[in-house]
Amino acid sequence: MSTNAPAPKPVHPLARKLRFARILNVVLGAVAAFLLVVVIALSVPSAGQAPAAGAPQTPSADATGDGSGSEIATRDPDDPLAIGDVDAPVVLVEWADFRCPYCAVVTNETLPVIFDEYVEQGLVRYEFRDVAFFGEESIDAAVAARAAGEQGRFPEYLEAVFAAAPEKGHPDMPREKLIGFATEAGVPDLAKFEQDLDRADLRDAVLASTAEAQKLGVTSVPFFVAGDQAIAGAQPIENFRALLDEQLAAAGE
């Protein structure tokens, strides 16, 4: 099957070094987006026919048609991995692995703009979904982020982890590094945090989140859904603005 041509490459310090890998990631992301279209469309009886390969990605992630992404977003007011107003018109859901270099690019360069222009304005809610695609240390890092989130420091932990990401490759995430990130993030009870790193329920939650992502067809990260649209890869901020503005318009904003 055919896929869309890759979106324009984002302008950031890693562009030249990661050019080939990024193109490959976007192509794989386009395939994942198509799979997401098919899986979600089949799971919603009223969704209708999924678009053909190469067509604009319009998964039936929003059965209500109001741009809120209600079938994917949870809008759980107690979700420690969510940022923003629970009643925001649009929810942006991201799947990411803490050892993913492209996820680091998005977190370091794109999310701050989205938070400033959309989340802090009450227009968009951000919901994070952890996946562990790169081994045991990906699980460990996701557990640590959940533990930090339980103490109200998930955004700070997210920032600390990805700010320390190398220019390429998957960083090691030993226990001492995860504790160091907690200190940097201002987690108030470090003793509890360290104990929580061994909690079976947090590990099970990470594995369940990963399995759910794979069930939906998310095979590369970062991957995003807003309303009835999917977007894959570390794309330029302009692409995210277009996505969110379209969904806000659909929601009547």
Side-chain angles (χ1 to χ4, degrees), residues 49-251:
Q49 185 176 359
Q57 300 301 320
T58 55
S60 298
D62 179 16
T64 67
D66 62 2
S68 64
S70 60
E71 291 298 313
I72 297 294
T74 64
R75 292 186 180 272
D76 179 358
D78 298 320
D79 182 358
L81 308 186
I83 303 170
D85 188 349
V86 70
D87 295 320
V90 171
V91 178
L92 178 67
V93 180
E94 179 187 9
W95 286 266
D97 186 307
F98 284 98
R99 300 182 65 216
C100 164
Y102 306 108
C103 301
V105 171
V106 168
T107 300
N108 294 336
E109 301 183 11
T110 307
L111 287 187
V113 179
I114 293 174
F115 289 165
D116 179 60
E117 296 182 1
Y118 295 92
V119 177
E120 293 177 10
Q121 307 305 317
L123 298 171
V124 171
R125 172 177 170 85
Y126 171 80
E127 294 185 358
F128 183 88
R129 305 281 192 272
D130 47 20
V131 296
F133 287 165
F134 303 116
E136 285 294 319
E137 290 193 344
S138 290
I139 300 175
D140 294 340
V143 166
R146 285 177 176 263
E150 289 191 355
Q151 297 195 42
R153 305 301 288 181
F154 172 73
E156 294 81 3
Y157 200 86
L158 182 75
E159 180 180 0
V161 171
F162 284 127
E167 290 190 351
K168 59 182 179 180
H170 308 299
D172 295 332
M173 291 290 179
R175 190 181 185 93
E176 59 271 19
K177 182 182 284 189
L178 299 176
I179 296 171
F181 290 142
T183 301
E184 184 178 346
V187 173
D189 190 339
L190 290 175
K192 181 180 185 305
F193 172 85
E194 190 167 354
Q195 292 174 350
D196 288 345
L197 294 180
D198 299 317
R199 280 172 51 188
D201 63 320
L202 293 183
R203 178 184 175 87
D204 289 345
V206 174
L207 295 177
S209 179
T210 302
E212 179 64 20
Q214 293 171 325
K215 180 181 177 182
L216 287 172
V218 178
T219 57
S220 66
V221 287
F223 194 91
F224 301 83
V225 164
D228 62 354
Q229 295 287 334
I231 186 171
Q235 298 199 26
I237 184 59
E238 290 79 7
N239 291 15
F240 284 93
R241 286 190 179 116
L243 170 70
L244 296 174
D245 289 346
E246 177 184 352
Q247 295 306 314
L248 285 166

